[in-house]
Amino acid sequence: MATHRFNPQFTDDVINSIGPKTSPRMRQLMTGLIRHVHDYARENELTVDEWMAGVKMLNWAGQMSDDKRNEGQLVCDVIGLESLVDEITFTLAGEAKDAPTATAILGPFFRADTPYRANGDDIVISKPKDAEMAFMHGRVLDFETGLPLVGATVEVWQASTNGLYEQQDDKQVEFNLRGKFLTNAEGHYYFYCMRPTPYPVPDDGPAGKLLELMDRHPFRPAHIHIIATHDGYRPLTTQIFDAKSKYLENDSVFAVKDSLVVDFIPRDGDARAELELNYDVKLVKFEQSSSDHSTHSIHKASL
């Protein structure tokens, strides 16, 4: 007769406690989570001290998070969870691998209150001495037809050369290196920014502590964040990576995709920028289904 070191009925008892009014999706998600977490605890013979250290780390992440920094999200990033969820979501959308613009993680330093700027504006308000200026431009296009989308919003943000986003750095003007732009009648957007530089994820919280405990470097390759939206189309959250950057092969949050690696080229005749980047964004129309519309509503609310 088989014997068990731990109560074999315990996990089923917890799952069976879920009430009848729970939605099918919530029941599926919580059943899977409970089983995996309980199996993890048994397989590793998790002790109370180890469990409490994990609880303290979660609490620490919550205490550090606000509307300018999401430390809980950063913890998910350094263990690859956000990039995995991004891959799952993109795959479930049913698109070919290289068809529309690929997605990438949102990251912990998104700000929902970023202001609109005029096309041609410079988002580098607090300009560091070592900045390489670039003129970034492109079009937002319908993926199926290739036609330009007028009035699409292109939101961008990037870290400064010291490795800090503006909300981390008192020396930067608020909303430095951020902006939202509306595409014109030809679907174009354009603005001045910096060539991005690599930087370490913050090491003053639980994400940094996890990297230290796992003996991993904290660096991200040089990148610019983009969110593109247009009525009737799936919102796109992505990042683009400088092809000449370090850490493309070992990004600390596992977000690099080959199709998102771009080249900055020399720009002639522009006293404001020595480099330029031409980057088109392709958006996919929503399918006319309730699930798509509900997803769209949730995403718009989060923006």
Side-chain angles (χ1 to χ4, degrees):
M1 185 175 179
T3 58
H4 300 273
R5 294 187 65 197
F6 308 109
N7 181 357
Q9 186 60 36
F10 180 74
T11 297
D12 286 337
D13 289 343
V14 175
I15 292 170
N16 290 337
S17 72
I18 299 173
K21 295 181 181 179
T22 303
S23 71
R25 181 59 172 167
M26 177 59 74
R27 185 179 299 277
Q28 177 186 2
L29 292 173
M30 290 309 301
T31 296
L33 177 64
I34 291 166
R35 285 203 185 280
H36 283 294
V37 169
H38 286 205
D39 286 345
Y40 170 84
R42 281 188 288 262
E43 289 167 6
N44 292 282
E45 299 187 355
L46 194 67
T47 68
V48 169
D49 288 342
E50 291 166 338
W51 165 74
M52 184 52 70
V55 170
K56 288 180 179 178
M57 183 165 284
L58 291 175
N59 291 342
W60 185 12
Q63 290 158 2
M64 293 190 69
S65 297
D66 55 27
D67 60 349
K68 294 183 178 181
R69 172 175 177 173
N70 191 330
E71 185 68 17
Q73 189 170 359
L74 187 56
V75 171
C76 291
D77 288 347
V78 300
I79 63 172
L81 181 57
E82 187 177 3
S83 288
L84 175 59
V85 171
D86 170 68
E87 179 190 10
I88 293 168
T89 303
F90 186 67
T91 301
L92 289 177
E95 304 301 334
K97 181 179 178 182
D98 297 316
T101 304
T103 56
I105 65 174
L106 179 68
F109 294 107
F110 167 74
R111 289 191 64 172
D113 53 349
T114 294
Y116 279 92
R117 304 187 190 277
N119 278 313
D121 278 358
D122 187 347
I123 66 171
V124 192
I125 305 168
S126 301
K127 191 167 296 183
K129 293 181 179 179
D130 55 348
E132 287 186 87
M133 292 298 297
F135 180 70
M136 182 171 169
H137 60 101
R139 294 184 299 165
V140 179
L141 305 170
D142 181 297
F143 164 63
E144 294 289 345
T145 67
L147 294 175
L149 297 179
V150 180
T153 295
V154 177
E155 180 172 358
V156 296
W157 67 102
Q158 63 181 143
S160 191
T161 56
N162 64 358
L164 300 175
Y165 289 88
E166 51 86 18
Q167 68 263 57
Q168 300 174 272
D169 186 0
D170 292 339
K171 295 181 179 179
Q172 294 184 47
V173 175
E174 190 169 26
F175 301 115
N176 183 46
L177 296 167
R178 296 177 184 270
K180 292 179 181 176
F181 300 88
L182 289 175
T183 56
N184 63 19
E186 289 77 41
H188 284 103
Y189 70 91
Y190 48 97
F191 59 91
Y192 289 90
C193 63
M194 293 189 319
R195 183 179 202 159
T197 51
Y199 65 84
V201 299
D203 62 358
D204 58 340
K209 184 63 176 179
L210 268 179
L211 287 171
E212 178 188 347
L213 292 170
M214 293 188 291
D215 189 28
R216 284 174 43 199
H217 78 76
F219 283 92
R220 297 223 55 213
H223 62 279
I224 298 173
H225 292 266
I226 299 175
I227 294 178
T229 57
H230 192 280
D231 286 345
Y233 289 79
R234 292 177 186 156
L236 174 78
T237 300
T238 195
Q239 300 177 25
I240 51 176
F241 300 88
D242 187 346
K244 294 184 178 179
S245 177
K246 295 180 179 179
Y247 309 109
L248 290 172
E249 302 299 324
N250 56 354
D251 179 9
S252 62
V253 304
F254 310 99
V256 179
K257 298 175 182 176
D258 290 343
S259 64
L260 297 177
V261 178
V262 300
D263 289 302
F264 288 81
I265 63 173
R267 179 172 175 83
D268 298 325
D270 189 341
R272 300 174 65 183
E274 59 265 38
L275 299 169
E276 72 174 281
L277 172 65
N278 185 0
Y279 191 76
D280 290 343
V281 175
K282 299 175 183 179
L283 297 183
V284 177
K285 280 187 176 180
F286 274 111
E287 297 174 0
Q288 298 303 310
S289 71
S290 59
S291 61
D292 279 327
H293 287 303
S294 63
T295 302
H296 187 212
S297 299
I298 292 170
H299 192 99
K300 287 184 73 175
S302 71
L303 299 184

